[in-house]
Amino acid sequence: MDEPAPEDSGPSSAHCAGLRALLPDLAPWHASADFRRLWLAGLITNFGTFLTFVAVPVQLKDLTGSAAAVGAIGAVELVPLIVFGLYGGALADAYDKRKLILATEGGQGLLSAVLLLNASLPRPAVWPLYAVAAVSSALGALQRPALDSLVPRIVAHDHLPAAASLNSLRWTVGGVAGPALAGVVVAYAGLGAAYGADLVTFVVSVVLCLGLAASPASHEAVKPSLRSIAEGARYAWSRKELLGTYVVDIAAMLFAMPLAVLPFLADELGAEWSLGLMYAAIPAGALIVSLTSGWTSRVHRHGRMVVLAAAGWGLAVAAAGVAGDVWLVLVFLTLGGGFDMVSGIFRAAMWNQTIPDELRGRLAGIELLSYSVGPQLGQVRSGGMAAWRGVRTSVWSGGLLCTGAVALLALCLPGLMRYDARTNEHAVRLRARRAGTAV
């Protein structure tokens, strides 16, 4: 009797193997219960947060009719983000990360309740929207370094690129579903329904995070102070490849973040119905990349990918500003979201695989500024430019400025382009430390 052919032989099996190689690497999910809890909590709150993310600018637009007023959200979020992001990084290095996550998550839920209460008034006020945006920015800045610095503790070193991809997938699922449904929810159920759903998601997230194991400070931890913050800043400055990831992302978001003007772009294109799709397009592109991110674990020149993807983001946004058809705009925004996700995955891999645990919180605070200050300033830039020169000009000119700035930064920071995870001294040292060997 002939023996059956091996299951992995033939073109069909090779094709299946190729498809499996593209799918996200689930090793962190299988290996770490805390990672699973954190991932699920983030998925749930992201969904609600994106509902609010769409509802607030829509409410501001309805109450003020001003693109500058919508863009000003970025301005009121900026100072709390800078101050509390840096301090939050120092707190994450000095105190239990689990407690910080729980406290800030509960605070965010209370802010959703404030938005719900304001929306239920016969005449909703404008100022609570700005006040909540400022306080929410502060709480998010305090929380994010604790979240980011917790991941390298609960995930194996070699699984960190896969964890970055899975975290990106989590964000993009909420980013696609939230904005896509927000327009329908706001139109048919009202702003209060969007804010109420956000409140519920924070309650569920707090329950999940209660199951996380304690994550106290390392024995090398220092108390939060200006000196400890400065120590983290000096370390970041000494690492030119890390510095490159920060400034490239700031440039990309400062010049090419179009979110503040999307309500006005939809109106200008005569497609008010497309606003939810516009907000969902960028996360949709990111989701496509996340779902096919298996290839990222086999790339080692992370810095080069950060630069190329950031330049691609700028070109895609510029094309969205030029396109006159709403469906083309959605295609280019989706393409831009894909490029942005590629850049984000490799930035996170570089950060998580090279920064020592005792500095992780403070560097996460700096990272928070790099990927958050840019979008906030970008909202101000795009809103102001739209009020001055028009919505379309604001979008396409920002995309071109982004691409030019990224190209210039790549020339000025050759260490970023040379970075290789296999040979970088910091990556090698941290890999050995986590393996319990000396270098």
Side-chain angles (χ1 to χ4, degrees), residues 92 95-99 149-150 153-154 212-218:
Y95 298 105
D96 190 307
K97 296 172 178 57
R98 174 182 176 274
K99 292 180 180 179
S149 58
L150 180 61
R153 284 192 171 189
I154 61 177
L212 293 172
S215 183
S218 64

Side-chain angles (χ1 to χ4, degrees), residues 295-376:
W295 61 273
T296 61
S297 296
R298 299 185 293 276
V299 175
H300 306 288
R301 303 295 292 271
H302 298 164
R304 184 171 296 178
M305 293 301 296
V306 168
V307 169
L308 293 175
W313 153 261
L315 291 175
V317 170
V322 172
D325 180 83
V326 66
W327 293 107
L328 280 178
V329 171
L330 291 172
V331 168
F332 287 126
L333 289 177
T334 302
L335 182 63
F339 280 122
D340 186 46
M341 179 52 61
V342 171
S343 178
I345 287 173
F346 289 108
R347 289 197 311 270
M350 288 180 66
W351 298 339
N352 289 334
Q353 288 190 323
T354 66
I355 298 172
D357 184 70
E358 62 272 16
L359 287 166
R360 193 68 190 85
R362 280 165 285 177
L363 269 293
I366 296 174
E367 292 156 16
L368 171 69
L369 298 186
S370 77
Y371 57 69
S372 299
V373 169
Q376 307 311 322

Side-chain angles (χ1 to χ4, degrees), residues 49 52-61 63-64 66-82 115 118 125-138 195 257 259-261 263-264 279 372-384:
T49 297
T52 297
F53 180 74
V54 173
V56 167
V58 168
Q59 189 174 19
L60 269 175
K61 174 179 173 289
L63 293 174
T64 68
S66 167
V70 176
I73 284 286
V76 301
E77 292 174 338
L78 182 59
V79 173
L81 185 65
I82 295 173
L115 290 174
N118 183 58
V126 171
W127 69 264
L129 301 179
Y130 291 112
V132 167
V135 178
S136 178
S137 178
Y195 297 139
M257 177 53 74
L259 296 184
V261 299
F264 301 91
Y279 277 118
S372 299
V373 169
Q376 307 311 322
L377 290 176
Q379 290 190 71
V380 177
R381 185 213 65 81
S382 62

Side-chain angles (χ1 to χ4, degrees), residues 407-415:
L408 181 61
L409 289 169
L411 291 174
C412 295
L413 294 165

